[in-house]
Amino acid sequence: MELSLTEAQTSFRDDVIAFLNESLPEDIKETQKSGGHLTKEQHQRWHKILGDKGWSTPLWPEEHGGTGWSPVEYAIWDEECYRTGAPRVLPFSVSMLGPVLINFGNDEQRDRFLPGIRSGEDWWAQGFSEPGAGSDLASLKTTAVLEGDHYIVNGQKTWTTLGQHGDWIFCLVRTDANAAKPQTGISFILVDMKSPGVEVRPIITLDGSHEVNEVWFTDVKVPAENLVGQENMGWTYAKFLLQNERIGIAGIGQSKEQLVSLKRLAASEQKNGKPLVEDQSFRAKLSEVEIELRALDLTNKRMLVETERGMDPGPVSSMLKIRGSEVAQRLFELKMEASGLYALPFQPEAGDPGWNDELVGSLAQARSAPHYLNTRKISIFGGSNEIQRSIISKMMLGF
């Protein structure tokens, strides 16, 4: 199977590189390259730039604003974004809600919500997980009761990523408490986060950041017209959405860039008077993760070629999710090891007791421990690795 780029794909890569070099704002690039957190304004500014170019929703059908890119072209775009320092467009609106509205929403909902998703003007959050319903999502307890032309929503969602910025949230809610199966009593509904009764409470994670939240609903009135598709069919839409969530979840482009950064760091740090990269033990670890990443990259390219030919990738997407998350976690482990004491979550500033120039490492080193802690989650979200292994066993072994 030919895995090298065609002439047309190489030309496409050149166009992507030229656009990114010309259009990516320097402050956004610097924030990304240093491992910092983008502000809401930075996210939306970059999203608008992509929207003006027509590249903010690349995987949508062309009639709804998609680019018509092939899977290989999308992979090229994804990889070049990471290499250049361009942030990925947040998936909640573009990769999750948008395809659901296109496939299951009505014309009024598409006309109302898709333009704001393409432009990035509307910030969407995802309301799926609950304290007692994570991997077992069908156990969710948030309710929506129809009263006249409104639903009354009560309950709690958790781990709502960047929900503190949200304008809207798409939620799975229970609309039939007496359904024969839990999955058949769930609906998919859109909630304005400015509605009375919506409360967002921050969750400060182990790395010290405010990335996720709890969202509480207390007698929130939601117009019935905000129900997507049919009542009690939300589980079907959720499964469709989760398939889109897993697109690119292997994070190969990000891992390639992290490998480059790790090698640079290992070449600059010293151990016993020599660069760390020359230490036999560290070199073995570095070589092992690079081999794993190359195998992952080749497997991903094989799947992309097969997908373009109309073949079903089968369990490969689950395999990529497992190995991709493990490789990413391993890279951040090694980056923290290479950073040594500079990886300490606390970094003193000028004037602090004990300050000296030698004590303070680079921003990238100082952020390696928080990043290590944050990446522990990637083997859980989008379907935990345990669930992915169950999927593989069912598809390949029949049980």
Side-chain angles (χ1 to χ4, degrees):
M1 179 177 294
E2 180 58 55
L3 295 177
S4 59
L5 296 181
T6 65
E7 183 177 342
Q9 289 165 346
T10 300
S11 177
F12 174 78
R13 182 189 288 273
D14 292 339
D15 291 341
V16 166
I17 293 172
F19 168 75
L20 291 174
N21 288 337
E22 178 183 346
S23 303
L24 179 63
E26 193 62 29
D27 66 305
I28 294 177
K29 179 179 179 179
E30 289 179 359
T31 301
Q32 283 287 101
K33 286 290 189 178
S34 68
H37 295 287
L38 295 177
T39 65
K40 178 179 182 179
E41 185 277 332
Q42 287 176 314
H43 274 297
Q44 291 189 304
R45 179 157 37 106
W46 178 236
H47 195 134
K48 185 179 187 305
I49 291 170
L50 293 177
D52 291 343
K53 176 71 171 177
W55 286 7
S56 62
T57 53
L59 295 178
W60 288 13
E62 290 184 73
E63 61 267 28
H64 291 290
T67 58
W69 292 347
S70 69
V72 171
E73 287 171 331
Y74 179 77
I76 291 171
W77 162 252
D78 192 59
E79 187 170 313
E80 289 303 324
C81 281
Y82 279 119
R83 188 189 61 79
T84 308
R88 298 177 73 188
V89 172
L90 292 171
F92 312 110
S93 60
V94 169
S95 302
M96 299 181 189
L97 177 61
V100 170
L101 292 177
I102 289 170
N103 285 273
F104 304 107
N106 55 44
D107 289 339
E108 182 180 348
Q109 290 170 339
R110 286 188 283 267
D111 291 342
R112 180 183 177 189
F113 294 114
L114 294 187
I117 293 176
R118 287 193 296 266
S119 68
E121 182 178 355
D122 294 333
W123 188 292
W124 284 87
Q126 180 185 18
F128 277 24
S129 295
E130 298 182 4
S135 296
D136 183 19
L137 190 56
S139 297
L140 65 90
K141 292 181 170 58
T142 298
T143 60
V145 178
L146 185 61
E147 294 185 2
D149 60 355
H150 283 76
Y151 284 95
I152 305 300
V153 178
N154 284 279
Q156 175 192 3
K157 297 296 180 178
T158 194
W159 308 124
T160 308
T161 302
L162 300 178
Q164 70 269 29
H165 302 318
D167 300 306
W168 288 81
I169 184 170
F170 55 90
C171 292
L172 291 182
V173 294
R174 189 161 300 285
T175 45
D176 184 357
N178 300 313
K181 294 182 178 179
Q183 294 89 339
T184 58
I186 293 173
S187 295
F188 194 109
I189 198 166
L190 313 177
V191 182
D192 186 340
M193 294 188 73
K194 297 181 293 294
S195 302
V198 177
E199 180 185 2
V200 179
R201 302 178 187 175
I203 298 174
I204 305 303
T205 51
L206 191 61
D207 64 353
S209 65
H210 176 198
E211 183 182 25
V212 291
N213 306 267
E214 296 176 323
V215 181
W216 292 77
F217 303 92
T218 304
D219 295 329
V220 179
K221 292 182 67 175
V222 180
E225 65 193 34
N226 288 9
L227 177 75
V228 176
Q230 301 178 41
E231 193 174 82
N232 299 323
M233 288 292 292
W235 189 253
T236 297
Y237 312 148
K239 289 192 295 183
F240 174 86
L241 180 150
L242 291 171
Q243 290 174 352
N244 286 279
E245 182 184 11
R246 291 172 188 143
I247 293 174
I249 205 167
I252 294 171
Q254 182 181 32
S255 290
K256 284 184 176 181
E257 187 60 24
Q258 287 302 322
L259 179 63
V260 172
S261 175
L262 175 60
K263 286 182 175 180
R264 188 183 304 119
L265 177 62
S268 64
E269 289 300 304
Q270 299 284 310
K271 181 178 181 180
N272 298 326
K274 296 181 179 180
L276 178 61
V277 74
E278 295 182 13
D279 177 75
Q280 184 174 359
S281 175
F282 192 85
R283 283 175 66 98
K285 297 173 187 176
L286 188 61
S287 298
E288 181 180 4
V289 74
E290 183 170 7
I291 291 169
E292 291 284 353
L293 179 55
R294 288 188 178 184
L296 182 70
D297 188 28
L298 286 172
T299 302
N300 183 61
K301 288 177 177 175
R302 176 168 57 90
M303 184 192 73
L304 292 172
V305 171
E306 291 175 352
T307 301
E308 284 196 343
R309 294 177 177 176
M311 301 171 63
D312 184 352
V316 175
S317 59
S318 292
M319 294 166 59
L320 289 171
K321 198 275 178 180
I322 293 171
R323 298 304 294 147
S325 62
E326 292 173 344
V327 166
Q329 289 173 340
R330 184 61 175 147
L331 283 166
F332 279 105
E333 288 173 7
L334 291 177
K335 198 167 188 178
M336 188 168 66
E337 179 180 336
S339 297
L341 63 88
Y342 296 134
L344 291 171
F346 169 72
Q347 290 290 303
E349 299 180 0
D352 287 346
W355 163 271
N356 64 74
D357 291 340
E358 293 182 358
L359 182 61
V360 182
S362 69
L363 278 175
Q365 289 173 292
R367 288 168 173 161
S368 60
H371 285 164
Y372 162 78
L373 296 171
N374 192 274
T375 55
R376 308 321 296 169
K377 69 186 180 187
I378 63 177
S379 53
I380 299 174
F381 69 63
S384 70
N385 285 4
E386 290 77 12
I387 289 177
Q388 300 308 313
R389 290 185 174 92
S390 294
I391 292 173
I392 293 171
S393 66
K394 288 178 181 178
M395 296 186 72
M396 297 187 69
L397 304 177
F399 59 85

